[in-house]
Amino acid sequence: MIVMKNVYKKYPNGVVAANGINIEIDRGEFVYVVGPSGAGKSTFIKMMYREERPTSGEILINGINLATLRNKRVPQLRRQIGVVFQDFKLLPKLNVYENVAFALEVIEAPPAEIRKKVNDVLALVGLTQKARMFPNELSGGEEQRVSIARSIVNVPKVVIADEPTGNLDPETSWEIMRIFEQINARGTTIVMATHNREIVNAIKHRVIAIEGGLITRDEYGGEYYEG
Ligand code: ADP
Ligand code: ADP
């Protein structure tokens, strides 16, 4: 489902953020990506949805080769991948419902289908009652739930999350994790960069540790530990 072969990434300033990464992630897996700041976690994740391109090497997502993918095909790729960010990235002038519907309106889905899908995912994340509220009227946890709803409304095979609990208090972080667990239980692959030691050690999944642009550890049911 996700394959990286000899992936190397050097930024224009000379920093090498991926120094020969090889990885295979299967359908339905839940993977934590851990490592110190500056290790290359975000770069690793950004290359999966073509926010960054590798300098060399090969990346396959659902059989799509990101190295040779034309730019005009990137929107098609992004429809197969849901992305969740630490800072939510909601559209401030759209309400909760509209933020989630937006991705479906862009692809001109039929209005009845949009209504059904949006209402279904809002129910899944527990936000049915807040559909008409705007991002600035929500708590951080609620904003993140909107962003998760938006990421799954297209029923992607993969959800990629970059520190999704990084701005949330511990209790809210556990709630957000419960939602990711539910999404994973439905068969969606999850790749999540995180610094949350408690969560990684409590909800056991595969742990990929990155340091200096290299995978230094890759364990099923692994622990967080660093260094
Ligand atoms: P992490 O997510 O583990 O903190 P990043 O992937 O963000 O690591 O960064 C890895 C390295 O690449 C760091 O040294 C960082 O400063 C550098 N880096 C990240 N993005 C860029 C960029 N756009 N341009 C130049 N250097 C970058
Ligand atoms: P139905 O056609 O089943 O009556 P609607 O399309 O009117 O359903 O809306 C279903 C739900 O979706 C309602 O609870 C409504 O609050 C919500 N909804 C629909 N459009 C919007 C919107 N633009 N902003 C907020 N909520 C919306």
Side-chain angles (χ1 to χ4, degrees):
M1 141 133 311
I2 301 173
V3 181
M4 290 196 184
K5 287 181 193 161
N6 298 318
V7 168
Y8 179 80
K9 170 71 180 179
K10 188 185 215 170
Y11 283 108
N13 63 357
V15 172
V16 175
N19 200 1
I21 289 187
N22 290 287
I23 196 83
E24 265 185 48
I25 297 170
D26 289 333
R27 179 176 299 258
E29 280 199 74
F30 194 130
V31 178
Y32 295 119
V33 181
V34 305
S37 284
K41 302 181 297 297
S42 292
T43 302
F44 176 72
I45 273 188
K46 283 175 179 167
M47 290 191 295
M48 287 181 189
Y49 60 97
R50 250 291 277 271
E51 177 71 21
E52 293 289 350
R53 271 173 185 260
T55 310
S56 62
E58 205 173 296
I59 303 176
L60 297 164
I61 308 282
N62 297 332
I64 302 172
N65 187 345
L66 302 202
T68 54
L69 187 72
R70 301 263 181 87
N71 282 333
K72 66 173 187 197
R73 284 279 172 93
V74 169
Q76 204 175 321
L77 167 80
R78 300 254 172 91
R79 256 170 256 147
Q80 301 187 35
I81 303 175
V83 186
V84 175
F85 303 96
Q86 177 172 6
D87 59 355
F88 324 128
K89 298 201 194 296
L90 301 177
L91 296 165
K93 295 199 166 135
L94 300 185
N95 70 24
V96 165
Y97 180 96
E98 292 159 348
N99 261 282
V100 178
F102 189 72
L104 296 170
E105 282 161 356
V106 169
I107 61 171
E108 296 177 343
E113 182 189 322
I114 295 179
R115 273 202 301 277
K116 168 146 186 27
K117 285 187 167 171
V118 175
N119 287 317
D120 284 354
V121 291
L122 288 181
L124 177 76
V125 301
L127 283 178
T128 303
Q129 305 305 321
K130 307 222 161 164
R132 290 180 190 281
M133 295 180 71
F134 287 84
N136 67 359
E137 300 173 302
L138 302 174
S139 69
E142 288 166 345
E143 285 190 86
Q144 193 57 297
R145 286 192 269 151
V146 178
S147 128
I148 293 170
R150 177 183 60 185
S151 79
I152 59 170
V153 73
N154 268 319
V155 199
K157 296 186 179 79
V158 187
V159 171
I160 292 170
D162 199 350
E163 301 239 21
T165 61
N167 283 340
L168 306 176
D169 61 61
E171 196 184 319
T172 308
S173 299
W174 289 104
E175 285 167 18
I176 292 299
M177 286 305 297
R178 273 196 290 279
I179 296 171
F180 279 111
E181 287 290 309
Q182 282 180 46
I183 294 167
N184 179 238
R186 304 192 310 183
T188 309
T189 307
I190 312 261
V191 180
M192 179 184 294
T194 183
H195 277 120
N196 198 314
R197 177 186 298 270
E198 289 72 29
I199 282 173
V200 171
N201 290 345
I203 308 176
K204 292 291 187 176
H205 290 297
R206 181 177 178 185
V207 175
I208 295 174
I210 297 186
E211 233 171 295
L214 283 169
I215 292 175
T216 53
R217 179 159 59 93
D218 182 357
E219 287 172 358
Y220 288 87
E223 294 271 319
Y224 181 87
Y225 65 85
E226 227 170 57

